[in-house]
Amino acid sequence: MARDTRSTAAELLTVRQVLDELGGISRRTFYRWRELRLAPTCIRLPNGELRVRRDVLDDWLEERAEGAAS
């Protein structure tokens, strides 16, 4: 059971998967958010591609929920 939790937290999402989860925002918007340091923290792979850890995306979304504690 603990392994399932760890594998879910360690799941790496592609930029496309993140865009889809965010309701289909544009790639340009995502990269603009990165420039402004508003996007979730990304991991750059050796081939230059970006990935976002599932738990990082979930935490990032939770922080932006309306009514979230400041």
Side-chain angles (χ1 to χ4, degrees):
M1 188 70 146
R3 181 179 176 163
D4 291 345
T5 302
R6 188 194 299 156
S7 66
T8 299
E11 178 184 5
L12 296 177
L13 304 172
T14 64
V15 171
R16 171 55 47 205
Q17 289 171 313
V18 173
L19 299 180
D20 289 345
E21 288 216 18
L22 295 177
I25 67 164
S26 72
R27 184 174 293 269
R28 178 179 168 96
T29 295
F30 181 78
Y31 281 98
R32 180 68 178 145
W33 287 353
R34 279 186 41 84
E35 288 176 16
L36 297 171
R37 299 188 184 278
L38 298 173
T41 304
C42 297
I43 298 168
R44 185 171 301 279
L45 300 177
N47 66 0
E49 292 184 12
L50 296 176
R51 295 290 185 272
V52 178
R53 284 185 21 202
R54 161 62 63 193
D55 59 337
V56 170
L57 178 61
D58 290 344
D59 291 346
W60 182 84
L61 287 170
E62 187 64 32
E63 290 170 6
R64 281 146 187 82
E66 291 206 15
S70 303

